[in-house]
Amino acid sequence: MSKLDILSYNLENLEEIILEMGESKFRAKQIFRWLHIDRVESFEEMTNISKDLRERLDEKFEIKTLEIHKRLISKIDGTRKYLFKLEDGQIIESVMMPYKHGNTVCVSSQAGCRMGCKFCASTLNGLDRNLTTSEILGQSYAIEKDMGERVSHIVLMGSGEPLDNFDNVMQFIRVISDDNGTNISKRNITLSTCGLVDGIKKLADLGFPVTLALSLHAADDETRKKIMPIANKYTIQEELDACWYLFEKTGRRVSFEYSLINGVNDSPEDAVKLGKLIGGKNVHINLIPMNPVDERELEQSTKQRIEAFCSAIEKYHINVTIRREMGRDINGACGQLRNRELKNEANGE
Ligand code: SAH
């Protein structure tokens, strides 16, 4: 029988298992601290646990860590891009951005993606598989170990659609935010979604005070359908209603992402539509200059058009920022590094 992946368990799960093993409940907290604060990679190192229990834990569980496959460090701003190789050979991508407010890690939630957004590199080859909780967690842990520094913020904005891997992503949030362990506040976690309305509602009902970022990218349904297949399933109005529902449940202000694509969604008329759609609401909009993807025809909007778009929506009293490009010298859109690596492997390079 294969061993259980202990880093995918939250403290409550662990307490149940420890009780079942005939041990006292408080042992679970000790073990959880060894795993998530001390970051031990073997049960042997858990010196306040009896030898007998350590051996029984070792028979039942394994402590999985991620192997760094490649690492690129920006000379401009210290941004780091990592590729990790998983047990089954899958390759996933993560990014670390050293912001003033703390080190922020952008983690992947799936190997590949099945959402099909036209501007995105992560979805080019479809979905390979969901990541386990410990594989999502392991990205941040491996980066902390590599840098010798702590991570304070997590953004679920790497490859994959987090709400399409709902249970493992929620479990990841529970584990990484537990104050008996890594203790990254849920308020320091941002989850970005292309707009799985049912998932947004489920997240709202859980009440986790994470920040939701909705990938809007268009101000009318016709335009959105051209670039995001999810728009065939849900209207923008349904997306917004789900966001307001979440705000009601969690009190957390929602963010919208709007990637500006030349001639597709960046005209003055688009800005007016967007202004009318969300003007006056307590939201934040992040304008992202689209990052061109080799395999796609779409182009980035010009700087002038981006600035004009930004000033036009500011008139509607919308809190807006233009996303700063990080790690320009090691850049490439989300998922591009992974795709290149997969291609190289296929060519035997
Ligand atoms: N599946 C999630 C996370 C995706 S990545 C989602 O759809 O939100 C985070 C953000 O980057 C999303 O808003 C996504 O639409 C956007 N994005 C993806 N590829 C991009 C590109 N080439 N240029 C600009 N933004 C991009």
Side-chain angles (χ1 to χ4, degrees):
M1 214 183 72
S2 65
K3 292 187 182 181
L4 302 172
D5 172 13
I6 198 164
L7 291 174
S8 288
Y9 288 80
N10 65 32
L11 181 55
E12 231 171 76
N13 303 147
L14 215 52
E15 283 172 345
E16 277 167 28
I17 297 183
I18 289 297
L19 283 173
E20 274 167 25
M21 288 172 80
E23 297 286 335
S24 350
K25 190 172 156 188
F26 79 94
R27 292 277 172 223
K29 207 172 263 179
Q30 289 180 321
I31 297 165
F32 195 83
R33 293 176 67 91
W34 279 116
L35 293 170
H36 298 281
I37 296 178
D38 303 296
R39 305 281 169 83
V40 299
E41 293 179 8
S42 73
F43 292 103
E44 221 181 292
E45 296 164 71
M46 301 184 173
T47 46
N48 59 357
I49 308 281
S50 72
K51 190 156 189 296
D52 167 64
L53 179 55
R54 277 185 269 159
E55 281 170 6
R56 285 161 64 214
L57 288 169
D58 195 36
E59 275 163 31
K60 199 177 177 73
F61 293 108
E62 61 183 318
I63 304 171
K64 294 189 179 190
T65 53
L66 293 195
E67 181 195 325
I68 297 178
H69 181 63
K70 219 170 228 180
R71 184 185 63 186
L72 299 174
I73 305 179
S74 165
K75 293 199 175 66
I76 302 173
D77 54 29
T79 295
R80 291 161 170 245
K81 281 207 163 191
Y82 289 87
L83 286 178
F84 295 104
K85 195 164 207 169
L86 307 181
E87 275 177 324
D88 60 352
Q90 284 291 343
I91 287 181
I92 56 166
E93 187 172 334
S94 324
V95 187
M96 193 293 301
M97 293 153 290
Y99 288 127
K100 277 204 193 78
H101 58 258
N103 290 329
T104 299
V105 166
C106 173
V107 295
S108 291
S109 55
Q110 297 180 312
C113 182
R114 58 179 181 148
M115 294 298 133
C117 299
K118 292 284 189 290
F119 44 81
C120 181
S122 300
T123 196
L124 282 169
N125 301 311
L127 175 67
D128 284 313
R129 68 168 173 86
N130 281 334
L131 300 187
T132 64
T133 296
S134 80
E135 286 168 341
I136 307 173
L137 195 68
Q139 297 169 55
S140 181
Y141 286 9
I143 291 173
E144 286 186 328
K145 186 177 169 194
D146 183 53
M147 291 179 50
E149 285 179 34
R150 302 316 291 237
V151 165
S152 59
H153 293 69
I154 297 282
V155 294
L156 284 145
M157 291 190 183
S159 293
E161 168 48 50
L163 297 181
D164 190 37
N165 183 15
F166 192 88
D167 293 341
N168 293 348
V169 166
M170 294 308 137
Q171 181 75 337
F172 159 72
I173 294 173
R174 280 185 203 103
V175 173
I176 205 162
S177 64
D178 196 313
D179 56 13
N180 291 293
T182 304
N183 195 17
I184 294 185
S185 159
K186 292 190 181 75
R187 290 168 191 277
N188 289 357
I189 300 176
T190 299
L191 184 153
S192 178
T193 176
C194 69
L196 301 188
V197 166
D198 292 350
I200 296 174
K201 289 185 184 154
K202 260 166 60 183
L203 174 64
D205 289 334
L206 276 178
F208 289 174
V210 297
T211 299
L212 181 79
L214 176 76
S215 298
L216 190 60
H217 303 323
D220 65 79
D221 289 320
E222 286 321 300
T223 309
R224 198 161 188 263
K225 278 180 196 168
K226 283 188 201 146
I227 49 178
M228 301 179 74
I230 192 71
N232 295 305
K233 189 160 180 199
Y234 302 111
T235 62
I236 290 179
Q237 197 50 56
E238 288 169 320
E239 300 287 2
L240 296 182
D241 288 344
C243 291
W244 310 149
Y245 178 71
L246 180 122
F247 179 64
E248 230 172 71
K249 288 273 175 173
T250 65
R252 299 289 292 161
R253 185 177 77 162
V254 176
S255 266
F256 294 101
E257 289 153 293
Y258 196 106
S259 295
L260 289 153
I261 312 172
N262 188 32
V264 175
N265 62 0
D266 65 341
S267 70
E269 295 78 49
D270 290 313
V272 170
K273 274 189 215 158
L274 186 61
K276 288 187 174 153
L277 194 64
I278 53 171
K281 299 266 198 234
N282 183 16
V283 296
H284 175 256
I285 289 209
N286 219 316
L287 297 178
I288 313 171
M290 194 207 60
N291 210 331
V293 174
D294 297 345
E295 293 81 351
R296 308 283 204 194
E297 307 284 275
L298 303 171
E299 291 166 5
Q300 187 175 92
S301 305
T302 59
K303 204 161 174 251
Q304 291 88 323
R305 258 170 107 86
I306 296 174
E307 273 160 17
F309 195 93
C310 185
S311 345
I313 58 174
E314 270 176 339
K315 294 201 184 91
Y316 290 86
H317 306 289
I318 297 174
N319 188 322
V320 56
T321 45
I322 300 177
R323 187 177 291 172
R324 194 154 54 96
E325 246 185 289
M326 297 287 286
R328 197 189 297 270
D329 51 336
I330 53 164
N331 224 353
C334 320
Q336 282 217 128
L337 192 60
R338 171 175 187 263
N339 289 350
R340 284 194 198 125
E341 193 65 21
L342 294 179
K343 256 191 216 158
N344 289 347
E345 289 208 335
N347 296 333
E349 283 168 32

